[in-house]
Amino acid sequence: MLAALQARAAATARPGRVSLQLLHKGARGVRSSDARASSAVQPAQPSQPAAVSAVVQLDEAGFAVLPKELPSMRGVDFKQELDPRYAETIEVIIDGHPVQVQKGSSLIQACEQVGIQVPRFCYHERLSVAGNCRMCLVEIEKAPKPVAACAMPAAPGMKVFTNSPIVKKAREGVMEFLLANHPLDCPICDQGGECDLQDQSLFFGSDRGRTTESRRGVEDKNLGPLVKTVMTRCIHCTRCVRFATEVAGVDELGTVGRGNAMEIGTYVERMLDSEISGNIVDLCPVGALTSKPYAFTARPWELRSVESIDVLDGYGSNIRVDTRGGEVMRILPRLNEDINEEWISDKTRFAYDGLKRQRLDTPLIRPDPEMPLQPATWKDALTLVAQKFKATPGARIGAFAGPLADVESMLALKDLCNAFDSEAIHCDVPAGPLADCRAAYTLGSTIAGVEEADAVLLLSTDLKREAPLLNARLRRRVYHDGVRVASVGPRVPLTYEYEHLGDSVSQLLELANGTHPFCKVLAGAQRPLVLVGTGAYERTDARGVAWAVQKLVTSVPALIQDGWLGFGTVQPTAAAVGALDLGLTPLASSAAAGVGASDGAIAEPLGLVYLLGYDSIDLDRLSPDAFVVYQGHHGDVGAETADVVLPGSAYTEKVGTYANMEGRAQRTARAVSPPGEARDDWKILRAISELAGKPLPYAGVDGIRERLAAVAPQLADGTESIHAVSPDIAKAMLAVRASDKFDFDTKTPFASCIDNFYMTDAISRASTTMASCTKAFAK
Amino acid sequence: MRAASVQRPASRLFRTSAALSAGQGTHIHRDSAGNSESTPWEWTPESLKKIDMYLARYPDTPQGKMSAIMPLLWVAQQQTDEAHATIKAKPSYDGAFAFDSPQGSGGWVPLAAMHAIADLLGCPRMAVYEVATFFTMYNRNQQGKFHIQLCATTPCMVCGAYDILASIEKHLGIKCGETTADGTFTLTEVECLGACVNAPMVQINDYFFEDLTPQSVVKLLDDLKAGNPVKIGPQNARVHSLGPLGRTSLKSPPKGPYCRDLSQIPAN
């Protein structure tokens, strides 16, 4: 009977996204000769989104008839369209080759566009130019001395030499000065093997030193539980300082002192309180800033890397999982311009130690309600669950999918319950009344599109914690373009200036009625954006709030227009969009998270409760005779209450589809094997269906993908594209009736849906690193 | 001793810059009894007047205001000079005069004052720390009542600055970078103070004491401590910076051509 589980191991790892774009999207530099041959200097015209402009048809039940071919946002590159720089190129002569490079490039960018690597420490394409390491010195014809390529704009006809004797001598001189004070502790340095200084000293370093001076020593700084500092190794590139001030929006880091006594530090001892502070570990070109949890655990050449995606929040960051001997050693970001660029949040990066603790690795059965759970065989456990499915009437079967559930397992769960006449399949999403409208529960603007917005309204969200990288994008928009941001919700620091309009429903109603002054700002904007946190729907008056949001959204014409959907929800979990796409029932409110209370749809107390990684069960509302099955990977609250525990796989151990907050379906990859007897989640459900006598009509991963394509084609194509909702459908779905009346709770303030950024799910709750972060940072 | 002690290395390596030997130790703040985030800080009315004057000089933008970090740090340092009133400064020749208010060299900038400046200018605290640690004339640790800045750059050194230093160290029982136990004197070695002709010299708070000998500097310190009148400027018979031949140049108004008379040029 385990044949179904063991047959056809899911070895269908998706080929990783190859994205080697180093600089800008759009036109890459091409050699002139090629350019002349093909005259392909101009970037390819971006394909326009195929917007559906037909009037929406409604079927008999009143639902919109959706077009078979959904319009796709794939291929649309706003930046390319808007930035005229991409169309213009100039000719520079690099190392004797005439090449076309983008106008406005610096020399280092120009060299990169034609594939010439210039060594650098301080220059980083996403940070401002500092020009203080001097490693990128190049020679320019007629210039009296070598110039820093990162700070020198390319001019037409400029003759640049990147490999001449002068350049070599200059770089050797710079390297000698850098190494004069750098300790020779590579054998005990965590950066060893992936260190820019180490690599470049192979090319430009001398095999002996000439200094007789003693090396300087610098005191280490305490930046918190994530970033380990060995400040003597610092070469003062200031990348960390620039990242902290420009991207993360924390001003605590700076350079103190001067000359040889200069240090990077905080002056007054202070931890780096940012949700994306871990990125300075990646940015540091030497071993001054390294990962504290990863310290001394592995060397880079021992690691096997698997390209995957993160599921600990709704952002869908692209990650690289580094493993050694079946153990996840660390998680690093992977470049994806549309989502996380090259950053990831600290939870994504550091919660991996939670994958090794509190794991469920064998099936467990509670022989008697008073007794503890006992280890059992898969056969006994699955048979018991199958019997319960057969014995319980459909109306008394309820299923709940948790925040880490993948689309395949939720689909199998839904099919299984439906086969036993149960419709009560819930998901842990407080999307509430707007759960039928994809335009409402996804981020219609797309993540990258947030940077197109010119007026932003936040509702009931603490964006810095719910989606730190989205917040960083918005911050960039505010700082570079002065976009106005207003918030109705918790008054929290967002790392940029915003107008706090209040935190009560009254302000939302004023906005919806058009009487609030900020309505003028929204109405005057070309691409306004309204971002709603799911905290808005976790209230008792969620229906009224949803109505008011709909009214607000439909009252501003520019919010929904061709090519721009300026309304969206910031989903905090990776399962949310997938669950709603599959038609799982959202919980009306967190208060209703008890069993059998969702929207009053279930009258009878549940006899069989199936928890798929669902840990927010309300024990008091669970009927005492209910049989609880918990399928998941961590021994969290859900497993403690269960009568049967079925061990599943975590996101690093399976190939699972997840849709992020913008509705982009991406797949995780299997980096390590599940521990012990744990299995792929959807296969467990498939096995139950077989034992219960109603086998699901798919046995392999291809089968379930086919089924997924039939149920939710936007999740199945695996192209990582976003299927945009057409403006007409969005308008029709969001239309409100003026006659609707709701009771509003004006006393309860709008709150964020998460209290503690560092602990939001079973994995991060089991992580000791996240526990120390909670201790250090959570307020 | 109140300030952190820093040993002066025997030989001058390139890391023993004035910044390190100037009594400031490392560039990391350490809380002490009189200098922590919770130490109260109030601007005096005179300081506030000066702050208004300085703020008016810079554009009223976030960046423009940050330009005022330097003068405001100096205002804080003027405010903390407690010894100025006790120095009975006696000009050594006609035409020289004593300052009627502290000029800033005798004070220090507490952490709380840096925070007050950051709040006043609406800039990150780190921006103020960066400026305060960059410049060696901002004293970030509590100083003694009298801050002796001994010049030991080449001309003074050639004229015996280290003899003066040894004399002070012996007399006060402290080394460079240290403060006496009673909190009266802090001794630091600094780079050129621009009185090379009258070397060797020390600056104590706002006043220069030049043409010192190992004996005269001891008397000077004793007089300061006792509150006796002290002669500012050359401690010998020298007038201004005149050499042994007296005045040899600029004896009469220089011949023309002069620069244009600006008062004759109409405004705009």
Side-chain angles (χ1 to χ4, degrees), chain B residues 161-184:
Chain B
Y162 284 128
D163 297 337
I164 308 291
L165 178 64
S167 174
I168 298 173
E169 285 182 345
K170 188 169 169 242
H171 181 63
L172 298 179
I174 54 171
K175 296 224 177 306
C176 267
E178 294 177 357
T179 303
T180 51
D182 60 357
T184 314

Side-chain angles (χ1 to χ4, degrees), chain A residues 181 213-216 219 221 251-258 260-261 263 265-270, chain B residues 13-15 17 19-20 26-30 37 111 114-115 124-126 129-130 133-136 140:
Chain A
N181 267 326
E213 314 279 350
S214 44
R215 284 160 203 270
R216 70 182 205 139
E219 199 177 309
K221 314 289 186 292
D251 297 316
E252 270 103 37
L253 216 52
T255 54
V256 292
R258 75 196 293 184
N260 199 61
E263 292 177 21
T266 50
Y267 188 59
V268 181
E269 187 175 312
R270 196 175 293 272
Chain B
L13 300 179
F14 80 131
R15 67 194 183 89
S17 63
L20 266 185
T26 59
H27 294 299
I28 299 167
H29 169 80
R30 311 236 188 269
E37 233 172 302
L111 186 67
M114 295 191 212
H115 293 176
R125 289 174 171 186
M126 193 65 220
Y129 303 152
E130 283 179 336
T133 54
F134 186 87
F135 294 101
T136 50
R140 289 168 287 107

Side-chain angles (χ1 to χ4, degrees), chain B residues 146-159:
Chain B
F146 301 105
H147 184 189
I148 310 165
Q149 300 183 63
L150 179 124
C151 172
T153 307
T154 317
C156 280
M157 189 187 76
V158 169
C159 293

Side-chain angles (χ1 to χ4, degrees), chain B residues 184-266:
Chain B
T184 314
F185 292 104
T186 297
L187 175 62
T188 52
E189 182 188 319
V190 298
E191 301 301 341
C192 185
L193 290 170
C196 311
V197 170
N198 298 0
M201 57 83 66
V202 295
Q203 181 183 352
I204 298 178
N205 290 10
D206 297 323
Y207 295 114
F208 277 17
F209 299 93
E210 300 150 359
D211 291 318
L212 296 169
T213 62
Q215 294 75 36
S216 66
V217 74
V218 169
K219 182 173 179 300
L220 172 68
L221 297 184
D222 287 342
D223 284 346
L224 280 170
K225 192 175 178 184
N228 298 334
V230 288
K231 193 168 113 175
I232 55 175
Q235 300 296 299
N236 57 10
R238 195 200 295 267
V239 176
H240 306 289
S241 304
L242 298 184
L245 298 178
R247 189 170 215 173
T248 57
S249 58
L250 291 176
K251 287 175 154 176
S252 57
K255 290 175 193 158
Y258 303 109
C259 61
R260 59 214 159 111
D261 186 358
L262 294 175
S263 63
Q264 297 303 309
I265 298 170

